[in-house]
Amino acid sequence: MKWWKKDKRKINNWIENDIFGLQIKNSNYPKYNGKYLILINKEILLQGWVHSKNVKLFHAKIVDQIPADLKELETLEYIKTSSCTYLSESFRNPLIKILEDEFNYIYTNLFEIKFSTRKIPEELIYLGNYNLSVSQDEYIPKTRFWGTPYYEFDHIMNVVDLYHELNLRESHIFQEKSRKEILKKN
């Protein structure tokens, strides 16, 4: 590999499973401030998943400290970034093989970040490249335009909000009244 291809400060040099850390600063959930959002660069090689050079696809996890060994990340759950009812999605994608949860939802852990330049922001720390196990219950939408959140880098802390809404089930979709309304629509 050429020396200039190893420079991870340039987005063009990122490859699948490059891992970055970003210290959390979130006004909605200050208890996470000082912890780290771990961003795992992903590549989906399916039709409908092409994007520009300054837009990247990620999985994320939350950690207290940047781990000395990236293997430590295996035990942490991925942040769920989008949900949809199994029934509605099975019409779009009849080959779906994922089981829904007790609320009849399936989830994706993917989200996109648009960077304003092709150089990474200084606060993003390159940690290395490590192939983490993928979540067995993750749903990969048919195209990136359906069910994949999209953020400008300046708004990346919204992923912490998604953790509360979907992983910790604080979203209205898990409340009985909302669930009944959603089930009526489907």
Side-chain angles (χ1 to χ4, degrees), residues 7 18 28 30 33 39 42 47-48 57 63-64 68 75 83 103 113 115 125-126 135 147 156-157 161 164 166-167:
D7 184 0
D18 276 345
N28 292 337
N33 291 344
L39 304 171
K42 301 311 290 178
Q47 186 176 0
L57 192 62
V63 296
D64 291 333
T75 60
S83 67
F103 297 99
I113 302 174
F115 295 89
I125 306 162
Y126 179 69
S135 176
I156 189 59
M157 291 303 151
D161 299 347
H164 268 265
L166 299 174
N167 291 66

Side-chain angles (χ1 to χ4, degrees), residues 26-58:
N26 185 298
S27 59
N28 292 337
Y29 299 100
K31 71 179 183 179
Y32 291 98
N33 291 344
K35 294 185 180 196
Y36 288 85
L37 192 60
I38 300 297
L39 304 171
I40 303 123
N41 186 38
K42 301 311 290 178
E43 293 180 15
I44 304 293
L45 302 174
L46 297 172
Q47 186 176 0
W49 280 89
V50 178
H51 35 72
S52 68
K53 290 182 179 181
N54 62 334
V55 174
K56 292 292 184 179
L57 192 62
F58 291 94

Side-chain angles (χ1 to χ4, degrees), residues 8 11 13-21 38-45 56-61 70-71 73-74 78 110 125-135 138:
K8 296 299 181 176
I11 293 170
N13 295 339
W14 293 1
I15 59 173
E16 172 119 26
N17 299 315
D18 276 345
I19 299 175
F20 300 87
I38 300 297
L39 304 171
I40 303 123
N41 186 38
K42 301 311 290 178
E43 293 180 15
I44 304 293
L45 302 174
K56 292 292 184 179
L57 192 62
F58 291 94
H59 280 150
K61 297 183 177 206
L70 294 177
K71 290 179 187 176
L73 297 174
E74 287 285 2
Y78 285 103
L110 294 167
I125 306 162
Y126 179 69
L127 302 177
N129 186 288
Y130 185 77
N131 189 10
L132 294 169
S133 303
V134 294
S135 176
E138 180 182 14

Side-chain angles (χ1 to χ4, degrees), residues 59-102:
H59 280 150
K61 297 183 177 206
I62 295 176
V63 296
D64 291 333
Q65 298 288 327
I66 291 181
D69 185 355
L70 294 177
K71 290 179 187 176
E72 294 175 34
L73 297 174
E74 287 285 2
T75 60
L76 303 170
E77 70 179 323
Y78 285 103
I79 295 174
K80 296 173 182 174
T81 58
S82 182
S83 67
C84 59
T85 61
Y86 176 84
L87 186 60
S88 66
E89 197 57 23
S90 64
F91 288 118
R92 272 189 281 285
N93 188 354
L95 301 176
I96 191 169
K97 300 264 191 277
I98 296 172
L99 295 176
E100 69 268 30
D101 67 6
E102 68 272 20

